[in-house]
Amino acid sequence: MTRASLTGIAGATLLAGALLTTSACGTGGAGDMREGTRTGKVAGTITFRTLQLKPAFTAYVQGVIDAFEAEYPDAEVTWEDVPGDGYNEKLVADAQAGALPDVVNLSTDSFQLLADRGMLADVARLDGARAEEYVPGAWEQFKLPGRGEGVYAYPWYVTPEILTYNTELFEKAGLDPAAPPTGVEQFFDYAERIAAASGGRYAAFMADPKGRLPGDWQKMGVPILNESGDRFTFDTDTAVAWVERMKDLYAKGAMPKESLLTSGDINQLYGGGKLVFGPGSPGFVRDIKRNAPQVYAKTRVAGAVTGTLGHIGVYAQSLGIRKDTEHLDAAAAFAQWVTNGPNQVEFSKQATIFPSHAQGLADPYFADRGDGTDAETVARAVGAEQLRTAGLDANTPVQWTNQVGDAVVREVQKAVTGEQDARTAVRRAHEEANRLLAQAVRK
């Protein structure tokens, strides 16, 4: 799965589907941006921008800021929180005006938008030893193709993919709730059996190709990018077979018909007993517990569908530092402060998220399964275990922007509905994705 299905905090998903539009606004010369210098003194006033954390987490964030300022009395943090709508556009406008915040909350798209254009400081050069403090794969996620060992953001909170399912509907389809699917192909096999048994009364999963790609392909061993990261390579027989299987399952009723073109209200469908598999997010489990207790009682949690590679999808947020900040020491110290183990643990106890910090993830809070019957508690333990042990290569590559995803989805949708064959769909998607990637590089 991709970030589309792994939102960690309600409302915190970045709604930035127009990367090309924003980049076309022009950020020329950013690569020549001067780099701030270290003075050895944590001092000065810095700005900190977050994404839709007020008002739910005002007390937490302000508490982190207050503690930092108490530790470093010569430093002052000005906090601004902005809505998700138009976030990328605002970043570009601020970059053009020389008004980027010193420390900025980034997701995959916004990270690429700024890092590719040389606007973010290389935190590996600032403090490379800190790499060992994060869970495997978290630090590396914020490298850029062709930029060597540079890392351009501090990992913040993450949300790992899990599997949630309705055990009652599982049993009605003749499936064993104690044996959930573990691979993409097996997941599709289960979906076919569910469709055959349901008689149209319920479906197995949402079609939503954007929520499944490129994660499914990565798990099946499809190479998404070449080694240099400058060209997509997913036009393969395996990708074509995936599209053909989706078409077959769609025709058999394994997915709600409307879910091919819109994500719809998956919580309502699952909460109404109309869907076997829920979203792969621990936050979803909490929502069902609150809003559909009868279905929650039938909900079980398991490790994510991984495929032969053992990879899971991870939705990640990070903190980038403005490259030319006037107070580099204060900005770096504050980003490190926000992302340290204790602060990430406290945040995770207030929201359904997980620390990217290894010390934080080792907190007993994330290992407690209770008596094994409460799905929310089990989801927390399962998610944490996967973060500690699974390969994170199924992260969405920074090159797979929202615009690339939309282009791929458009072609897949046509194949699923029979407007074109699967091989043509993958070929056209591949060509358009590479056209967009080349265009982004030229920008």
Side-chain angles (χ1 to χ4, degrees):
M1 279 185 191
T2 66
R3 58 190 177 274
S5 56
L6 293 173
T7 51
I9 299 178
T13 307
L14 189 62
L15 303 175
L19 181 59
L20 180 60
T21 300
T22 54
S23 63
C25 293
T27 53
D32 299 325
M33 182 184 289
R34 69 170 182 83
E35 188 157 14
T37 57
R38 306 199 76 160
T39 64
K41 185 173 178 61
V42 178
T45 299
I46 59 173
T47 53
F48 173 44
R49 178 180 296 169
T50 56
L51 179 61
Q52 279 185 216
L53 296 186
K54 291 183 177 180
F57 305 102
T58 298
Y60 165 76
V61 176
Q62 191 59 55
V64 170
I65 292 171
D66 292 344
F68 175 78
E69 292 176 339
E71 181 73 15
Y72 300 100
D74 292 327
E76 181 178 350
V77 179
T78 300
W79 175 30
E80 58 182 52
D81 188 72
V82 299
D85 289 333
Y87 191 61
N88 274 11
E89 290 86 342
K90 180 172 176 55
L91 285 175
V92 170
D94 288 344
Q96 290 176 315
L100 278 178
D102 299 283
V103 180
V104 58
N105 183 180
L106 303 169
S107 72
T108 303
D109 276 332
S110 50
F111 166 75
Q112 185 198 22
L113 182 63
L114 297 186
D116 268 357
R117 289 155 178 78
M119 299 179 189
L120 300 177
D122 180 354
V123 301
R125 186 161 55 186
L126 292 177
D127 193 0
R130 207 163 283 272
E132 299 179 358
E133 297 183 8
Y134 297 94
V135 298
W139 182 261
E140 288 76 11
Q141 184 172 1
F142 300 104
K143 292 181 177 180
L144 287 173
R147 303 283 185 90
E149 295 303 305
V151 176
Y152 297 92
Y154 286 98
W156 196 9
Y157 59 88
V158 296
T159 306
E161 179 187 358
I162 60 173
L163 184 71
T164 58
Y165 56 102
N166 183 315
T167 57
E168 180 180 68
L169 298 183
F170 232 59
E171 291 175 338
K172 286 183 178 180
L175 298 169
D176 181 2
T182 59
V184 176
E185 295 87 346
Q186 187 183 35
F187 179 86
F188 285 161
D189 290 342
Y190 278 34
E192 187 165 1
R193 292 183 61 178
I194 290 166
S198 72
R201 294 185 300 276
Y202 51 89
F205 66 101
M206 301 288 276
D208 188 22
K210 192 171 184 179
R212 304 198 66 82
L213 295 176
D216 275 10
W217 286 350
Q218 289 169 301
K219 293 173 183 180
M220 296 169 72
V222 174
I224 303 301
L225 291 158
N226 61 10
E227 289 188 6
S228 58
D230 59 3
R231 185 166 180 81
F232 288 108
T233 56
F234 58 78
D235 186 358
T236 64
D237 290 345
T238 302
V240 171
W242 181 91
V243 177
E244 289 174 338
R245 193 73 193 277
M246 285 283 287
K247 176 183 178 181
D248 180 61
L249 290 171
Y250 185 75
K252 291 177 177 177
M255 307 164 240
K257 296 297 183 183
E258 67 278 6
S259 69
L260 182 64
L261 300 176
T262 177
S263 58
D265 191 345
I266 188 170
N267 287 31
Q268 184 175 359
L269 285 172
Y270 184 89
K274 300 296 183 181
L275 203 64
V276 176
F277 294 105
S281 165
F284 163 76
V285 180
R286 174 178 289 186
D287 290 341
I288 292 300
K289 185 176 185 177
R290 291 172 176 170
N291 301 319
Q294 291 183 330
V295 172
Y296 178 78
K298 305 167 187 174
T299 295
R300 183 172 290 187
V301 173
V305 170
T306 61
T308 57
L309 301 181
H311 297 160
I312 63 171
V314 176
Y315 174 84
Q317 293 274 335
S318 63
L319 294 182
I321 296 175
R322 174 177 169 165
K323 185 177 181 180
D324 65 345
T325 175
E326 294 182 5
H327 305 292
L328 185 57
D329 295 88
F334 181 69
Q336 293 162 8
W337 182 271
V338 173
T339 63
N340 69 27
N343 281 329
Q344 288 208 36
V345 170
E346 181 58 32
F347 197 9
S348 299
K349 289 180 178 180
Q350 298 187 33
T352 313
I353 56 175
F354 294 75
S356 63
H357 197 283
Q359 177 190 4
L361 200 63
D363 189 282
Y365 174 74
F366 297 101
D368 181 17
R369 289 176 177 256
D371 62 3
T373 61
D374 180 63
E376 183 183 6
T377 303
V378 175
R380 182 169 60 242
V382 168
E385 180 61 27
Q386 291 188 142
L387 283 172
R388 296 188 195 100
T389 61
L392 304 186
D393 298 34
N395 291 341
T396 300
V398 293
Q399 296 91 331
W400 190 285
T401 62
N402 275 339
Q403 192 171 29
V404 168
D406 288 342
V408 173
V409 165
R410 281 194 296 270
E411 300 302 330
V412 170
Q413 287 171 336
K414 293 175 186 177
V416 171
T417 58
E419 294 181 47
Q420 64 183 351
D421 64 88
R423 188 163 297 279
T424 299
V426 173
R427 174 178 56 79
R428 288 179 174 173
H430 186 256
E431 291 171 352
E432 180 63 10
N434 275 315
R435 186 189 69 80
L436 292 169
L437 180 57
Q439 189 175 55
V441 170
R442 288 196 300 272
K443 295 292 181 183

